[in-house]
Amino acid sequence: MLLSLLAPLLFLSACDPADKDDTAVTGCTEIAMSSVTLSVVDADGNSVPDAAATFSVDGGAAEDCESFSGTFTCGYERAGTFTVEASAPGYADNSATVTIGMDAAGCHVVGQSITITLDQVDCTEEVRPSVLVHLWTMIDIPMENTAVSWALQNAEMASQPCTGSAMDWACGSEFAGDLEISASADGFHAPLTLVTVPMSEDGCHVITQSVEIEMLPD
């Protein structure tokens, strides 16, 4: 008799919703949904090589989109107004704005796919030096057998000779990145100099950097 009275209570306790996890109650899954899926194409609809993309939400700081085999994912489970910017060497930058909301259950964002088209820039055929180097010394002694060379930092490449003579040299041609400049002469040496060379906004040419290097007596 006692067991028959307790049975309903035991059944209700076993089915108490408080014992269930939030996922079961709300029906939400643990999958992280992407907010914006981006494709970057040229005027003919072809995927743009070496493209990069960033996004900001509601006017916040810019963040990098993740690249996945020709497409980009910009944010996960984030709602708001997205400003997405795309760029690539040799192309003019472009951007798009999209508003991302939540689904009816309030579980996940309703992601959207967008496409940004980049227009190719007509680059001139000029070749710009990466770094212009001017050597100087506090000692009034002519330097002989001067040599200046450059190499890309952290790259598997041998040092390349710069062109010039005496005190003025040009190093690299249209190489962007971190360039290491070394210089020497009979009776003189110079510390290794690191110069960061950026590209122009249109991606056509480097922005030539100028640097002065003091030659020190041995």
Side-chain angles (χ1 to χ4, degrees), residues 36 55-60 78-84 96-101:
V36 177
F55 73 96
S56 60
V57 183
D58 296 331
R78 298 174 65 177
T81 300
F82 279 64
T83 299
V84 183
T97 300
V98 60
T99 299
I100 303 299

Side-chain angles (χ1 to χ4, degrees), residues 171-193:
C171 300
S173 297
E174 300 290 3
F175 279 88
D178 293 327
L179 272 64
E180 296 176 337
I181 310 296
S182 58
S184 63
D186 289 348
F188 292 87
H189 69 279
L192 192 68
T193 301

